[in-house]
Amino acid sequence: MAKPTTKVSTEHELMEKDTQQDENTSTNEVANEEDSFSENSDGDDHDDDDDDDDDDYNNKRPADLAIESNKNVDSAPKKAKIAMPPAVSSSLVDVEKYELDSPLSEADQPSDEDTESKITSSGLILFGLHPLVRESPLKKMCEEYGVVVNLTVRSTFASRYGHVEFESVDAARKCYQALNGAKLLHKAILVQPSKAETKKPTEEVGVEGIQPEVVAPS
């Protein structure tokens, strides 16, 4: 009677193992399905975020988009710009004496009171000259207002300036009234008084005003 009992027990154990394997298989399938669902959900969330970004961009007004574009442009480093001088023909440059493009009218000229209070010396600075301005023709133009003792022209970047020294203060005042604000070679001139004054040569004086002794060559 012991043999049938052993056989029944063995079959019962096999059935339990098969049932356990089926349960494990079902559990794994359920877990895989949950993982797959979770991954799909995450992907959908990312897609929803992208859609929201697209909607925000599409919902913006053209003015808002223009403002954002200008902000990006303004944030870029800006380069310094140098104004280029106006073009002039050689017939205006290669001359013996310059002529103003359009002389100032009496109404546009500085008043006598302003001129007398501002110009107190015989030296003037002419700012804003065209880079092609030369000394000789400029000196002859300034000689219309009085005797010119000295005139020099210097360059700075895309412009030039000149220093003119007249023989008298009256001549400097006449030049100031005629040239300040006038155009030469299509550029407006700004005339300002010069702080530098021409030193007149003085006689050599010895100690305590005694003239030095001059020894004749032997």
Side-chain angles (χ1 to χ4, degrees):
M1 295 297 292
K3 291 182 179 179
T5 301
T6 303
K7 184 176 181 180
V8 173
S9 298
T10 303
E11 292 178 354
H12 183 68
E13 291 175 356
L14 292 174
M15 291 177 64
E16 288 181 351
K17 289 181 179 180
D18 294 338
T19 302
Q20 185 66 31
Q21 290 178 355
D22 294 338
E23 291 178 354
N24 294 337
T25 302
S26 300
T27 301
N28 293 333
E29 291 177 354
V30 171
N32 292 334
E33 290 179 357
E34 290 178 352
D35 293 341
S36 176
F37 178 78
S38 176
E39 292 177 358
N40 293 332
S41 298
D42 293 340
D44 293 339
D45 292 341
H46 291 302
D47 293 340
D48 293 340
D49 293 339
D50 294 339
D51 293 339
D52 293 340
D53 294 339
D54 294 339
D55 292 339
D56 292 340
Y57 182 82
N58 294 329
N59 291 333
K60 288 183 178 180
R61 295 177 300 172
D64 296 334
L65 296 175
I67 292 173
E68 291 184 359
S69 177
N70 292 333
K71 288 181 179 179
N72 295 331
V73 173
D74 294 339
S75 61
K78 296 181 179 180
K79 297 182 179 179
K81 295 182 179 180
I82 299 177
M84 298 303 295
V88 293
S89 63
S90 59
S91 60
L92 297 177
V93 178
D94 300 333
V95 294
E96 292 184 1
K97 174 187 172 183
Y98 290 133
E99 298 290 342
L100 295 175
D101 296 349
S102 55
L104 296 176
S105 63
E106 293 184 0
D108 295 331
Q109 290 181 359
S111 64
D112 293 339
E113 294 180 357
D114 176 67
T115 302
E116 290 179 0
S117 62
K118 190 169 186 179
I119 307 302
T120 58
S121 64
S122 58
L124 298 176
I125 299 292
L126 311 180
F127 293 101
L129 298 179
H130 196 282
L132 298 179
V133 165
R134 294 180 293 115
E135 289 184 357
S136 179
L138 182 63
K139 182 179 179 181
K140 290 185 178 181
M141 184 185 74
C142 291
E143 286 176 347
E144 293 182 2
Y145 315 109
V147 178
V148 176
V149 177
N150 186 33
L151 185 144
T152 56
V153 175
R154 298 288 182 268
S155 297
T156 102
F157 295 105
S159 183
R160 303 192 89 182
Y161 69 94
H163 175 265
V164 54
E165 184 73 27
F166 287 95
E167 190 177 43
S168 65
V169 178
D170 290 338
R173 288 172 177 172
K174 291 179 182 178
C175 180
Y176 172 75
Q177 288 183 321
L179 298 186
N180 189 42
K183 286 188 176 182
L184 176 64
L185 301 182
H186 311 320
K187 287 202 67 178
I189 304 174
L190 174 63
V191 182
Q192 294 292 325
S194 172
K195 295 181 180 180
E197 295 183 1
T198 303
K199 294 183 179 180
K200 296 181 180 180
T202 57
E203 296 181 357
E204 185 180 359
V205 179
V207 179
E208 296 182 355
I210 301 175
Q211 294 292 338
E213 182 180 359
V214 178
V215 179
S218 55

